[in-house]
Amino acid sequence: MREALVAAAFELFLERGFEQTTIDDIVSLAGVGRRSFFRYFPAKEDVVFPDHERGLAEMTEFLESGTGEEDPVRHACGAARLVLRMYAEQPSFSVQRYRLTRKVPGLRAYELSVVWRYEHTLAHYLRGRFADRPDGPLRADVVAAAVVSAHNHALRTWLRSGGESDWVAEVDRAMSFVAETWGDRPGNGGDAAPAGHGPEDEDDVVVLVASRRAPLWRMVQGIESALGEPRQIHRA
């Protein structure tokens, strides 16, 4: 049922557009009632990201599975790899979603809220591991943001290729960069291959500082401008 609703929703989103598609349209095509839709998805936006609750649960389980002896930064990098693997399990769907979210500002804002939950989960784990350090809370937040940024860099690279590039190589390179920069022990980040150190191997890290009162669309616009991506967000 859940998969049928997702399939029907994306068929309509691609045919009519996200904003022009209603929940009634989705359930009609799927051949179910509205109650069935809301049993699985709280809102129309949630059907675009049906796998993130599972991704968060798997990340949390992985972080909690550590022995406490491993380098926490490399363990966090290993958790981030799980999320990209989740995207790679359904390359066609992931690429379709990426193209859809590029066109709908509301979906980009929703996706940012999901990304924040991943970052919050990583930061919570790292705060516990860095509890005995004077800079523990600061280090945890910075490393969590770095892991998420590196993951998103690898994910965008793979998605822009239409899901054709080697996602394993992309995430290995990104996570190794973070692990070698912030990790306490030598080795690979989350079983990643060592990254090079030449100019061609450098990744960009974008830090956005904004007022708490700034609208979310303006923050998204600022990030996209810094990354050099298409700016399709407009004032509501």
Side-chain angles (χ1 to χ4, degrees), residues 61-183:
E61 183 178 1
F62 179 88
L63 291 171
E64 293 175 349
S65 71
T67 63
E69 299 299 322
E70 64 281 331
D71 176 7
V73 176
R74 300 179 192 282
H75 196 55
C77 288
R81 287 172 59 89
L82 295 177
V83 180
L84 211 155
R85 183 180 292 114
M86 177 183 70
Y87 279 88
E89 288 174 353
Q90 297 180 296
S92 178
F93 175 76
S94 296
V95 171
Q96 284 183 346
R97 175 167 58 192
Y98 174 70
R99 292 171 178 168
L100 179 64
T101 56
R102 302 314 303 153
K103 298 177 182 178
V104 184
L107 288 180
R108 288 203 295 278
Y110 184 94
E111 189 171 37
L112 276 180
S113 71
V114 174
V115 171
W116 179 85
R117 293 178 65 191
Y118 284 116
E119 185 174 332
H120 177 77
T121 300
L122 289 168
H124 176 75
Y125 160 75
L126 291 167
R127 286 192 195 101
R129 294 296 307 275
F130 295 149
D132 59 343
R133 302 180 62 136
D135 64 348
L138 173 61
R139 178 173 288 267
D141 288 349
V142 170
V143 172
V147 171
V148 170
S149 294
H151 168 274
N152 289 346
H153 173 86
L155 176 60
R156 282 194 303 270
T157 301
W158 177 71
L159 290 171
R160 287 170 183 159
S161 76
E164 296 295 328
S165 67
D166 186 348
W167 72 269
V168 175
E170 297 292 353
V171 74
D172 280 353
R173 178 170 174 266
M175 292 302 105
S176 287
F177 178 81
V178 175
E180 292 175 8
T181 301
W182 294 101

Side-chain angles (χ1 to χ4, degrees), residues 19 24 26 35 37 50 56 60 68 70 79 100 112 159 167 177 211:
E19 294 171 346
D24 286 335
I26 296 170
R35 182 176 299 178
F37 181 93
L56 281 163
T60 301
E70 64 281 331
L100 179 64
L112 276 180
L159 290 171
W167 72 269
F177 178 81
S211 167

Side-chain angles (χ1 to χ4, degrees), residues 190-208:
D191 298 326
H197 295 285
E200 69 276 9
D201 293 307
E202 294 179 0
D203 288 326
D204 291 330
V205 177
V206 177
V207 178
L208 177 67

